[in-house]
């Protein structure tokens, strides 16, 4: 037990590699200093004794010992800042543990041997040299307790005994002084060494803690940048990466491109088969897109992210040019067009893509993204399932839009926006069934702006609610002036239907007007259903509960989905004017209108044909059994003040029954 303790005290600890490394690093700095003190002090003593003692003792032996010191000092000096493994560290510390006592014995022997040759002063110098040097050495060896202790004992015991028994009272006193100082130093040494070892342990614990914190924060970072559903990088990752890539591209003047992809037909899958199937579909889309990127060739470095919902984005680090991007877009849309097998469900969707290139399309990450999104918007509207590159025409359109946006944001709705009313005629008896309210904007700066333009702008700028409220207010005032059997048809934006706050307003306005809701029809397009069926359906139900009629407007232009007709209880279907324009020359249009009219009759829906302009169209439509119609043939949209006179013309609303009014 005591032997084990003693052995441990005088050997290099092997159980802690970090402690050994810390000791080694400290020694690399301190050992050259130790050897310098030892050599310099010894050479000074050697110089003093050169004339007094034999040459082998005063010159050759110290020189030989100093050469060993220089050699060791150089060895340590060279190990500074050098990569060294644990085994080498242990062996060099063990060597120090052997070399230090050996040198201590040699120098002690040398010092004490010289003593007898000196006069009183020189002897004093030896006593002073040995005491001072050993303190310096203990100090430098502090990080290796075993070496420091052995040097302390091997120098001090002979020293103290020698000078104590040497006889001279002064030297005895010096021996006692040194014994006291060394006892204090050993005590300090033991404490310092223990603190040093503890410091290494706590530093390691700190490093471990830091590594653990780092790995936790790395994991959090990874999760924060990951879309948990698809496993793809998420929106945050995409924008951070886009910004980072942009900085690099800016510095290198290197072009790159981004794309935004939106699934076509995802919402119906979600609505019909439920969210679980929708999730499976998104996961499969993610897999397909990722597989595409893993493929070799031009897509190799493309990174895909899911921005949210059914929207994905691609970052193309090296712009492959317009043709390359077009090809990339096509491979993506092609991959999305292949049917998906999701458990027991097999479904087909598509995808549209918009691309923007740096620096042509935009010179900041945000503008670039906006442009890609704009190109996607175009793809969705005009080239569904295709790929659109942001181009100069889009740029011009953005400028035009921004002029409209500015004017609209500054507009005084009450003064600038008004309504025209276009009659909807019952073709069987020529009576006016209703008037459709059509918005007009006379901007003081831009002049007349088409409703298709400013309604879109109002939707874009979040002003549609104000516009709708203002116009419905005007329309309800007019409805109150009309005969009871004349209805009002009022166009609602998809956004109106999606906002519960707006619906509450509309319902309140209708209730406050005191008019029968049955005299009111809201026209909505399919866009509203497609954007968010659940929300649109809730709005739809709320309006129906009030007792108003609801028409599906412009049927045949957009999605023309019978699903919507089937799932929501529409009252009227408005057949788009695009079929009427060529109904007399195009058998396909004729067949479509015929089928739609028959379908409406079968489903118990009213149908209105829009855009009747000529007598030939009118005659054809009447022949098909169409019931209600609207168009310039009957009347153009008119001012509210003109309605009274218009209605007053007996039997004048259809030319065949008229006394000549057109
Ligand atoms: P819409 O609801 O389908 O309205 C019918 C459009 O066809 C009107 O265009 C009307 O002037 C036009 N029209 C009627 N008969 C004929 C015809 O015989 N030939 C031709 N070529 N056109 C005819 P307008 O007034 O320019 O409105 C365009 C669209 O703007 C509307 O289409 C509707 O979607 C939207 N809109 C108009 N007013 C409002 C409104 O108050 N609120 C909302 N949300 N949208 C509105
Ligand atoms: Mg309409
Ligand atoms: Mg219409």
């Amino acid at each position: 037990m005591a032997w084990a303790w003693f052995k441990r005290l005088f050997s290099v600890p092997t159980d802690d590699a970090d402690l050994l490394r810390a000791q080694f690093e400290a020694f690399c700095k301190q050992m050259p200093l130790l050897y310098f003190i030892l050599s310099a002090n010894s050479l000074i003593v050697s110089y003093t004794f050169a004339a007094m003692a034999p040459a082998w003792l005063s010159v050759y032996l110290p020189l030989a010992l100093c050469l060993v010191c220089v050699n060791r000092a150089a060895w340590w000096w060279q190990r500074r800042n050098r990569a060294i493994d644990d085994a080498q560290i242990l062996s060099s510390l063990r060597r120090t543990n052997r070399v230090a006592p050996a040198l201590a014995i040699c120098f002690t022997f040398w010092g004490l041997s010289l003593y007898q040759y000196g006069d009183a002063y020189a002897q004093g110098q030896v006593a002073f040299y040995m005491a001072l040097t050993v303190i310096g050495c203990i100090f430098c060896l502090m990080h290796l307790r075993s070496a420091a202790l052995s040097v302390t004992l091997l120098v001090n015991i002979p020293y103290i005994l020698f000078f104590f028994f040497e006889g001279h009272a002064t030297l005895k006193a010096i021996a006692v002084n040194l014994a006291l100082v060394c006892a204090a130093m050993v005590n300090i040494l033991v404490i310092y060494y223990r603190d040093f070892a503890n410091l290494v342990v706590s530093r390691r614990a700190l490093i471990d803690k830091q590594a653990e914190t780092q790995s936790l924060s790395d994991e959090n970072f990874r999760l924060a940048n990951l879309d948990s559903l698809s496993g793809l990088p998420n929106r945050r990752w995409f924008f951070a990466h886009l910004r980072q890539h942009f900085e690099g591209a800016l510095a290198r003047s290197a072009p790159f491109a981004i794309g935004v992809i939106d699934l076509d037909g995802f919402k119906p899958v979600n609505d019909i088969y439920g969210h679980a199937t929708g999730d499976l579909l998104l996961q499969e889309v993610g897999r397909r897109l990722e597989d595409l990127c893993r493929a070799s060739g031009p897509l190799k470095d493309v990174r895909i992210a899911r921005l949210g919902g059914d929207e994905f984005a691609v970052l193309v680090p090296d712009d492959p040019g317009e043709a390359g991007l077009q090809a990339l877009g096509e491979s993506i849309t092609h991959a999305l067009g292949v049917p998906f097998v999701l458990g027991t469900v097999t479904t087909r969707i598509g995808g549209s893509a918009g691309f923007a290139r740096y620096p042509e399309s935009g010179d900041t990450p945000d503008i670039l993204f906006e442009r890609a999104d704009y190109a996607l918007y175009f793809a969705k509207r005009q080239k569904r399932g295709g790929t659109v590159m942001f181009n100069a025409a889009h740029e011009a359109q953005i400028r035009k839009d921004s002029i409209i946006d500015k004017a609209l944001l500054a507009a005084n709705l009450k003064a600038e926006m008004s309504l025209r009313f276009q009659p909807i005629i019952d073709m069987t008896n020529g009576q006016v069934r209703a008037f459709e309210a059509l918005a007009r904007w006379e901007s003081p700066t831009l002049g007349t702006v088409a409703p298709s333009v400013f309604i879109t702008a109002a939707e874009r700028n979040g002003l549609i609610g104000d516009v709708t409220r203002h116009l419905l207010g005007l329309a309800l005032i007019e409805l109150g002036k009309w005969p009871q059997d004349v209805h009002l048809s009022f166009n609602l934006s998809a956004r109106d239907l999606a906002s519960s706050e707006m619906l509450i307003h509309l319902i309140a306005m209708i209730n406050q007007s005191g008019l029968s809701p049955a005299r009111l029809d809201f026209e909505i397009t399919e866009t509203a259903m497609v954007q968010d069926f659940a929300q649109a359906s809730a709005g739809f139900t709320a309006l129906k509960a009030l007792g108003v009629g609801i028409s599906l407007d412009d049927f045949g232009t957009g999605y023309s989905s019978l699903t919507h007709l089937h799932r929501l209880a529409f009252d009227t279907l408005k057949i788009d004017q695009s079929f009427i324009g060529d109904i007399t020359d195009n058998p396909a249009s004729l067949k479509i209108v015929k089928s739609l009219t028959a379908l409406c009759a079968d489903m118990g829906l009213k149908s209105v044909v829009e855009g009747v302009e000529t007598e030939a169209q009118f005659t054809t439509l009447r022949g098909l059994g169409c019931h209600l119609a609207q168009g310039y043939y009957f009347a153009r949209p008119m001012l509210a003040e003109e309605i009274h006179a218009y209605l007053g013309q007996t039997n004048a609303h259809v030319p065949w029954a008229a006394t000549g009014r057109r």
Side-chain angles (χ1 to χ4, degrees):
M1 186 81 178
W3 170 243
W5 173 82
F6 185 77
K7 213 176 143 198
R8 208 176 57 240
L9 206 61
F10 286 94
S11 54
V12 178
T14 53
D15 53 349
D16 191 336
D18 290 332
L19 179 60
L20 289 179
R21 188 165 286 276
Q23 289 173 316
F24 183 83
E25 281 167 9
F27 268 23
C28 286
K29 287 180 212 130
Q30 286 161 209
M31 292 309 272
L33 197 63
L34 178 148
Y35 286 117
F36 171 75
I37 294 169
L38 191 55
S39 314
N41 286 358
S42 304
L43 288 176
I44 292 167
V45 173
S46 151
Y47 177 77
T48 310
F49 278 83
M52 304 180 200
W56 71 270
L57 189 63
S58 63
V59 181
Y60 301 127
L61 184 59
L63 270 183
L65 289 173
C66 285
L67 276 179
V68 174
C69 291
V70 168
N71 179 282
R72 296 299 304 150
W75 190 90
W76 281 108
W77 183 260
Q78 284 161 4
R79 294 302 174 280
R80 285 152 55 108
N81 308 325
R82 219 193 255 184
I84 188 153
D85 64 32
D86 291 348
Q88 287 171 309
I89 287 177
L90 182 61
S91 97
S92 40
L93 290 177
R94 279 188 169 149
R95 194 179 318 120
T96 303
N97 219 27
R98 290 191 300 274
V99 171
L103 282 176
I105 291 170
C106 292
F107 276 102
T108 307
F109 166 77
W110 176 68
L112 297 181
S113 307
L114 267 185
Y115 180 81
Q116 56 185 305
Y117 298 104
D119 54 17
Y121 286 117
Q123 287 177 338
Q125 186 188 6
V126 168
F128 188 70
Y129 150 74
M130 287 182 70
L132 213 62
T133 307
V134 77
I135 290 171
C137 291
I138 294 168
F139 217 72
C140 290
L141 284 169
M142 255 183 175
H143 292 99
L144 187 61
R145 186 180 55 191
S146 49
L149 280 179
S150 56
V151 167
T152 309
L153 296 179
L154 290 171
V155 176
N156 285 314
I157 292 175
Y159 180 97
I160 292 164
L161 290 177
F162 181 87
F163 286 108
F164 202 78
F165 293 109
E166 220 285 323
H168 198 287
T170 311
L171 293 172
K172 274 187 188 158
I174 290 178
V176 171
N177 288 156
L178 186 65
L180 289 174
V181 170
C182 283
M185 279 202 68
V186 165
N187 190 31
I188 291 170
L189 172 86
V190 169
I191 294 169
Y192 175 82
Y193 183 80
R194 194 188 54 211
D195 290 351
F196 176 69
N198 286 344
L199 193 74
V200 171
V201 170
S202 51
R203 194 179 66 177
R204 184 176 46 225
L206 193 72
I207 290 170
D208 288 351
K209 194 87 207 149
Q210 269 172 351
E212 193 185 318
T213 314
Q214 186 61 41
S215 92
L216 258 175
S217 106
D218 288 351
E219 180 61 7
N220 282 344
F221 183 76
R222 195 183 70 80
L223 290 176
N225 282 280
L226 195 77
D227 170 52
S228 55
L229 179 66
S230 64
L232 290 177
N234 62 12
R235 188 182 189 89
R236 172 203 286 258
W237 178 92
F238 178 77
F239 283 101
H241 218 71
L242 170 60
R243 291 210 167 89
Q244 195 184 333
H245 193 81
F246 175 80
E247 298 297 332
L250 194 68
R252 289 178 283 123
S253 305
F256 72 98
I258 59 165
V260 189
I261 303 154
D262 194 89
L263 303 184
D264 299 323
F266 170 73
K267 289 231 154 61
V269 174
N270 222 12
D271 292 342
I272 295 166
Y273 300 112
H275 287 274
T277 307
D279 286 355
L280 281 180
L281 178 57
L282 288 172
Q283 284 166 354
E284 184 53 31
V285 166
R287 253 192 298 278
R288 281 190 193 178
L289 293 177
E290 222 171 21
D291 285 350
L292 263 182
C293 294
R294 273 202 216 104
S296 53
L299 294 180
K300 189 164 55 58
D301 296 323
V302 171
R303 301 296 308 268
I304 301 259
R306 179 174 169 229
L307 298 180
D310 59 351
E311 208 175 38
F312 295 80
V314 286
L315 181 72
V316 190
D318 300 307
D319 180 8
E322 213 167 301
L325 286 176
Q326 194 72 41
L328 165 61
E330 272 157 27
S331 0
I332 291 173
T333 51
H334 175 77
L336 296 175
V338 177
F340 288 82
V341 181
L342 312 162
T344 53
V345 174
T346 301
T347 187
R348 214 185 173 112
I349 55 158
S352 307
F355 280 92
R357 303 163 67 201
Y358 170 80
E360 280 109 307
S361 316
D363 54 6
T364 72
D366 290 343
I367 292 182
L368 207 60
F369 182 78
E370 262 173 34
R371 303 279 156 102
D373 206 34
Y374 197 85
L376 169 69
Y377 168 79
F378 259 80
K380 295 286 274 187
R381 303 193 82 183
Q382 287 166 15
K383 207 177 155 196
R384 217 172 156 75
T387 300
V388 170
M389 224 48 63
F390 185 84
N391 59 31
H394 299 147
E395 181 93 56
Q397 185 64 45
I398 287 179
R399 267 200 290 274
K400 249 198 232 162
D401 286 351
S402 93
I403 293 171
I404 303 225
D405 291 352
K406 244 188 242 158
L408 189 64
L409 285 164
N412 175 348
L413 297 186
K414 281 201 175 82
E416 297 170 29
M417 264 186 207
S418 60
L419 285 173
R420 297 290 180 277
F421 297 89
Q422 189 182 34
I424 296 172
I425 305 291
D426 184 335
M427 285 204 279
T428 57
N429 58 17
Q431 293 299 307
V432 173
R433 174 56 166 266
F435 283 95
E436 176 175 5
L438 295 162
R440 295 292 178 261
W441 179 29
E442 195 63 32
S443 157
T445 49
L446 305 175
T448 307
V449 183
S452 50
V453 173
F454 70 78
I455 293 292
T456 318
E459 287 175 340
R460 195 169 48 236
N461 292 288
L463 287 176
I464 190 67
D466 296 343
V467 170
T468 303
R469 276 198 294 270
H470 166 61
L471 294 175
L472 183 65
L474 295 181
L476 289 173
I477 293 173
E478 296 310 321
L479 177 61
K481 299 176 188 166
W482 302 341
Q484 286 295 321
D485 58 342
V486 177
H487 290 213
L488 167 73
S489 233
F490 188 87
N491 294 286
L492 274 191
S493 146
R495 301 278 165 102
D496 296 329
L497 201 63
S499 149
S500 38
E501 193 195 339
M502 186 60 196
L503 286 167
I504 292 169
H505 266 289
L506 295 185
I507 293 170
M509 285 175 80
I510 297 165
N511 286 335
Q512 277 162 20
S513 73
L515 297 164
S516 159
R519 290 180 65 202
L520 188 60
D521 255 299
F522 281 119
E523 297 190 8
I524 52 180
T525 60
E526 281 182 297
T527 330
M529 321 294 139
V530 174
Q531 278 168 5
D532 187 345
F533 186 82
Q535 184 75 39
S537 156
F540 190 102
T541 315
L543 289 177
K544 281 292 279 194
L546 188 69
V548 300
I550 301 186
S551 310
L552 183 54
D553 202 358
D554 301 345
F555 192 79
T557 49
Y559 307 92
S560 310
S561 160
L562 293 178
T563 321
H564 299 138
L565 263 189
H566 171 68
R567 294 183 74 194
L568 296 174
F570 281 102
D571 301 279
T572 310
L573 184 77
K574 293 191 80 175
I575 303 169
D576 191 69
Q577 51 182 275
S578 54
F579 300 113
I580 315 304
D582 61 357
I583 197 162
T584 50
D585 337 296
N586 186 350
S589 295
L590 183 80
K591 278 184 194 149
I592 290 171
V593 176
K594 193 176 166 189
S595 314
L596 287 176
T597 312
L599 179 81
C600 288
D602 276 356
M603 291 178 75
L605 296 175
K606 292 187 279 278
S607 62
V608 177
V609 278
E610 296 185 279
V612 183
E613 291 186 349
T614 66
E615 182 149 9
Q617 289 166 357
F618 165 72
T619 316
T620 310
L621 290 164
R622 227 163 54 113
L624 290 179
C626 295
H627 182 198
L628 298 165
Q630 183 180 358
Y632 296 165
Y633 179 63
F634 309 105
R636 288 192 173 251
M638 61 187 78
L639 290 167
E641 301 82 67
E642 295 172 309
I643 289 179
H644 192 66
Y646 177 78
L647 288 173
Q649 298 172 30
T650 329
N651 267 342
H653 311 306
V654 280
W656 79 94
T659 44
R661 187 205 63 84
R662 270 300 312 277

